[in-house]
Amino acid sequence: MNHQGAKAFRLTPQFELYAAVAAASLSDNFYEKADARLSRIRELIAQNEPGFVAKLAVYTREQMYLRSVPMVLAVELAKSKASEGIVTKTVSRIVQRADEITELLSYYSMANQRSGTKVLNKLSKQVQKGLAMSFNKFDEYQFAKYNRDGAIKLRDALFIIHPKPKDEAQQLLFNKIAQDTLSVPYTWETELSALGQKKFETTEARKAAFNANWQELIDSGKLGYMATLRNLRNILEAEVSADHIAKICGYLARTKSVENSKQLPIRFLAAWREIAAMKDNFYAARVMAAIEQALVTSVNNVRGFDANTRVVIACDVSGSMQKPISAKSKIMNYDIGLLLGMLLKRKCKSVIAGMFGNTWKVLNLPANNILMNVQEFYRREGEVGNATNGYLVLEDLVQRRVVADRIMMFTDCQMWNSNAANQQSAYGMIEAWKKYKQIAPGAKLYLFDLAGYGKTPLDCLKDDVFLIAGWSDKIFDVLEAIENGGSAIEKINKINLN
C-alpha cells in the first residue's frame, strides 16, 4: 500500500535506491521526514552490491549535479568490508568543489556518531585516500573561496588526511592552509560584504556605491553563472546601465556559458520568477527572455519525439506535491514536474498536456515559451483540486478513444482514488492502464518519480510501464536509453569507476 492506502508495487532494491537518491534533497517531504529518508537509504545501500552503490554516487554527482546524496552513498559504502578499493575512487570522483572535502568529513562524523574533539578519529582509510586525491585538484583561489568557519575547517581536514603534494608549489599551498594564511579571494561576496559594512552619508550615496559595485563586478567577468542567476533581482534593483544589462543577458544566453554552468532547470525557473515579480523595472522582460533562452540552450540535447509519436503529458499538482524541496527553497515538487513536463512538451511535435488532482484538465498552450507555460499551469493548478487521481488521465483517454503512443506522468507516484470509500478495492491506475492498453496496445507509460517514496502505482517491470526518477533534465537521457531498449539501472551500471 502507498501513503494514501491505495494498492502499490514495491521496487527492486536497485530501483528503490535509485529513486530515493535521485529525488532526494535530504529535507522533509510531505510523507517522509528527512531522517526517515536517510534511514531508508542506509538500509537500501546494505541491500545492494557495493559496485552499484558506487556507480550511483558518481551518476548522481556527475550527471544529475547533486551534491549531498553522493556523499551519503560514499560514506555509508565505506562501512562495508565488501567495498574495499571502491570507496577511494568514488570519493575522488564525487568531490568536485573544495568545500566538499569538509562537507564529506562532517557527514562522516555524523554518520559514525562521532563527537567531541575526536570527531574524525579512526577515519576510514578508503575515505582518507579519496580525499587525499581530492586535495590535489584545487588551487589557492578555490581553497580560499570555501575556507569557511565550521565544525570541521579546511586546515582540520589537511591535518587528518595528510595529502601528498604533487610538487613544491602545492606544498607551499598546503602550508598556507595549515597556517590559515590563504589569500582572501576576489569574489562578489567579499566585494559586496565590504561595501555593506561601510557607512554612507545619504541613501543616494549608498545606492550609487552599490550601482558602481555591481557594474564593476559585471565588467570584471568574475561573477559566476550561478551567482548571476541568484543576483539578477539585486542587479536590476541597483539600476545598472543598459550596457550592463546587455552584458548580463548576453552572458546568460551564451551557449558556452550555459553548458559550463551545469545548472538544474529549476535554477532558471527560480530566477525567472524573481524577475517576473518586479513591477516597475524596464529591463525585467528583457532579462526574463534571456533566462528563457538560457533554459532552452541547456536542454538542446534532449531528443523528444517527432510528429509520428503522439505524446500525453500529465503533471501531478496534488497537495502532496506542494511541498518546498528544502527549507530555504520556494520551489515545490510540482514546480519541478511542471517544468520538466513543459521541457518535454517543447521537444514533442504531437502532444497533449494537462494537469491532474481531483480531476484531469488539458491545457493547450504554445510550446515555445517554457517558463511562461509553467507559470500558467502554476496559476491554474487550483482548478483541478488536491487529490492524486492519476487514473482519471487514462480513463479520460479511454472514454474519448484517444490513442497515444507515450504517456508521461510527472508525479510523486502516490496515486489513489479520492472518489472511492475503500482504497484497497478502489478502481485505480492498475485497472485504468489495463483498460487503456485494450485501445492502445502499443502505448508505453512513463512515471517520472519526483519524490522517491519507494512504491509505484503500476508494476514497472512489465506491461510497458517504466520508472525514471530525478529533477534534472538528465532524466530525458534515461528516457532515450529506455526507448533504445535499456533502463535507468543499465545506464547507471555503465558508469566507469576508473
Side-chain angles (χ1 to χ4, degrees), residues 196-251:
Q197 293 174 18
K198 289 182 65 175
K199 292 184 178 180
F200 298 92
E201 293 184 1
T202 64
T203 302
E204 289 74 17
R206 179 182 176 82
K207 188 174 180 178
F210 273 91
N211 172 280
N213 190 250
W214 276 116
Q215 294 189 160
E216 182 183 339
L217 283 170
I218 294 167
D219 290 334
S220 73
K222 292 184 177 180
L223 193 63
Y225 200 92
M226 181 176 280
T228 301
L229 272 180
R230 286 181 170 177
N231 283 281
L232 285 173
R233 183 164 187 152
N234 292 332
I235 291 169
L236 291 181
E237 288 178 341
E239 298 183 2
V240 300
S241 72
D243 287 343
H244 287 89
I245 292 294
K247 285 184 179 181
I248 285 290
C249 291
Y251 176 52

Side-chain angles (χ1 to χ4, degrees), residues 295-307:
L295 175 60
V296 170
T297 300
S298 75
V299 295
N300 270 343
N301 292 329
V302 175
R303 293 284 181 89
F305 294 95
D306 61 24

Side-chain angles (χ1 to χ4, degrees), residues 10-36:
R10 289 188 179 277
L11 296 168
T12 65
Q14 282 188 330
F15 256 113
E16 188 174 352
L17 180 59
Y18 154 65
V21 302
S25 65
L26 298 184
S27 297
D28 289 353
N29 291 311
F30 190 86
Y31 292 115
E32 187 176 46
K33 299 296 184 183
D35 55 353

